Amino acid sequence: MEHPAHQSDPANRARLRWRARRGLLENDIILTRFLDAHETELTDEEVDAFTRLLDLSDNALMDLVLARKEPEGEIDLPHVHALLARLRRA
């Protein structure tokens, strides 16, 4: 199944990769490695989840990636939980 909104748009893909660059080196490494391995297969729903995570502060994101916390509030969504599970395994 094609997902043209993200996969066929080089600008969207470049923007996502640029936003994955973080001030906290650990986040930067984890997110960049994940994109290196999985970017071409991400669905629009996974891109949405990734974008929601990128909207967080570095410390909040690190707490989620390291499973010190779980998503709450606006990001307590099934597709965010699913993407976090993939990030944690990466």
Side-chain angles (χ1 to χ4, degrees):
M1 177 189 241
E2 292 288 342
H3 298 281
H6 175 70
Q7 292 302 349
S8 67
D9 186 342
N12 280 347
R13 291 174 66 172
R15 191 174 310 112
L16 186 69
R17 190 163 279 276
W18 182 83
R19 289 198 62 211
R21 296 195 52 108
R22 306 299 291 206
L24 201 58
L25 182 61
E26 293 87 346
N27 281 344
D28 192 32
I29 291 169
I30 291 166
L31 298 176
T32 301
R33 283 184 181 165
F34 181 81
L35 284 177
D36 288 346
H38 304 289
E39 182 182 13
T40 58
E41 68 197 42
L42 291 177
T43 66
D44 285 343
E45 192 171 66
E46 289 170 324
V47 170
D48 177 71
F50 202 87
T51 300
R52 289 171 185 268
L53 292 173
L54 293 177
D55 287 341
L56 300 172
S57 72
D58 277 332
N59 289 332
L61 179 59
M62 179 57 66
D63 284 344
L64 291 173
V65 170
L66 296 180
R68 292 191 287 225
K69 293 188 178 174
E70 292 299 322
E72 41 187 55
E74 291 181 358
I75 62 166
D76 186 8
L77 301 166
H79 66 293
V80 173
H81 283 273
L83 184 73
L84 262 178
R86 288 185 70 190
L87 276 168
R88 290 169 178 172
R89 290 191 305 265

